Amino acid sequence: MTEFPVACNLQGDYGYKVIVIDDSDTVADIIRKTTDQLVGVLVAPFPPDAVLKAKIHGADTPLADGATVKDANISKMEAIDIYAET
């Protein structure tokens, strides 16, 4: 288990925030860790039925929620966008 930082931008925030993740975390864990730190502080709560997804900045498709950091090939200080799926 190795902890390292990634840069996450949560929809509704003005910029990227550094979030510390573990290489065994899943994409869903990254979303949870980010929202736990930012929702209600810097970002308004999402509607209860909102489905949040994450993607590597610049990618067209979201990462699979169950994929681990290692499976998704996420590296240190990778830029990750988290958004509500429409």
Side-chain angles (χ1 to χ4, degrees):
M1 297 174 82
T2 304
E3 289 187 333
F4 61 89
V6 292
C8 292
N9 179 259
L10 181 60
Q11 181 179 323
D13 197 358
Y14 62 88
Y16 286 87
K17 303 295 186 279
V18 175
I19 305 295
V20 176
I21 61 170
D22 191 276
D23 62 0
S24 64
D25 284 344
T26 64
V27 172
D29 292 330
I30 296 170
I31 293 169
R32 180 188 47 77
K33 287 180 178 185
T34 303
T35 56
D36 285 353
Q37 293 182 41
L38 301 178
V39 170
V41 179
L42 296 173
V43 177
F46 290 93
D49 61 341
V51 176
L52 298 180
K53 293 291 185 178
K55 66 180 181 176
I56 303 295
H57 182 73
D60 293 329
T61 57
L63 298 165
D65 288 342
T68 64
V69 169
K70 187 175 180 177
D71 293 340
N73 203 28
I74 297 171
S75 58
K76 292 179 182 178
M77 290 307 295
E78 186 89 60
I80 299 173
D81 299 323
I82 300 171
Y83 59 96
E85 189 173 58
T86 55

